[in-house]
Amino acid sequence: MEGKPSGITKKNLPQLRAFYKRLSFPPALADVFFSRNADGNFVVWVDEEIVGHICMSYFFPFRLNIMLGRCGVWGMHVPSSCVRFLRKMHILSRYEVSNIIVLPGFRGKGYGDMLLSAGIQEACDRGEKELFLIVAKTNAVAISFYENKGFRIFSSWNNVKDVMCKELL
């Protein structure tokens, strides 16, 4: 669906890799985000090209990321039953915006707003009560954007990043 957020599937990974390559990120980053929560990935398409992406996921502690990488499961869908088990075992914790990005030429056109709204709705659909994200303290534009969407600074991380939280209804 052009110009509005839509979910993605594994067949969209080549386009998502190309999107990250255009932003000078390693294309494999698309696989990392997709493997965290396939259902929590939304993109905006314009002229059959991805111009924005958001990844919603449970916070994966660093050790779990290393384990998944060593097991070669990047890019694989993690079943909901597995996520529920990992949450019950306190291996996964907070639901977060893992990443949100819009191509520079498409910023200021409402795509970031649409992506974040889709992510918030997805969190609400999961029954989450809070949504978290991490943002660089120097990124005043992003902090203002998030504050306008109801996020508040929750804590600081290493004096260079803020953890922001939004309570969900």
Side-chain angles (χ1 to χ4, degrees):
M1 184 183 311
E2 186 154 318
K4 295 188 190 258
S6 62
I8 60 172
T9 64
K10 195 166 186 164
K11 74 177 181 117
N12 302 120
L13 277 174
Q15 292 100 327
L16 194 58
R17 288 181 192 119
F19 169 77
Y20 278 99
K21 188 173 182 180
R22 279 183 69 185
L23 290 161
S24 300
F25 289 109
L29 196 56
D31 298 85
V32 172
F33 289 130
F34 188 78
S35 69
R36 285 184 166 194
N37 176 18
D39 298 332
N41 280 272
F42 299 93
V43 294
V44 173
W45 298 88
V46 173
D47 296 329
E48 299 182 22
E49 194 171 15
I50 295 174
V51 300
H53 174 237
I54 188 170
C55 175
M56 309 291 296
S57 68
Y58 289 100
F59 172 73
F60 280 80
F62 181 71
R63 281 186 227 106
L64 184 59
N65 275 329
I66 296 297
M67 180 188 76
L68 289 172
R70 286 189 180 151
C71 293
V73 297
W74 293 127
M76 291 178 60
H77 174 65
V78 179
S80 297
S81 58
C82 181
V83 171
R84 283 192 299 274
F85 172 76
L86 293 172
R87 287 214 62 198
K88 185 176 181 180
M89 299 304 295
H90 302 286
I91 294 172
L92 301 180
S93 54
R94 298 178 169 151
Y95 205 59
E96 68 175 9
V97 176
S98 297
N99 189 55
I100 181 170
I101 194 162
V102 175
L103 290 175
F106 293 89
R107 293 178 186 163
K109 299 179 187 219
Y111 296 127
D113 183 54
M114 287 189 284
L115 286 166
L116 187 58
S117 294
I120 290 169
Q121 184 60 55
E122 198 263 343
C124 289
D125 291 349
R126 288 176 172 268
E128 296 300 324
K129 295 182 179 14
E130 299 173 310
L131 182 59
F132 293 85
L133 59 86
I134 298 173
V135 61
K137 286 181 175 283
T138 57
N139 194 342
V141 172
I143 291 170
S144 176
F145 171 73
Y146 296 131
E147 286 177 338
N148 287 334
K149 298 296 170 203
F151 284 84
R152 298 290 170 248
I153 294 175
F154 180 77
S155 65
S156 289
W157 184 40
N158 293 338
N159 289 328
V160 294
K161 298 197 182 226
D162 284 328
V163 177
M164 299 185 80
C165 176
K166 176 180 176 65
E167 291 190 28
L168 305 174
L169 302 175

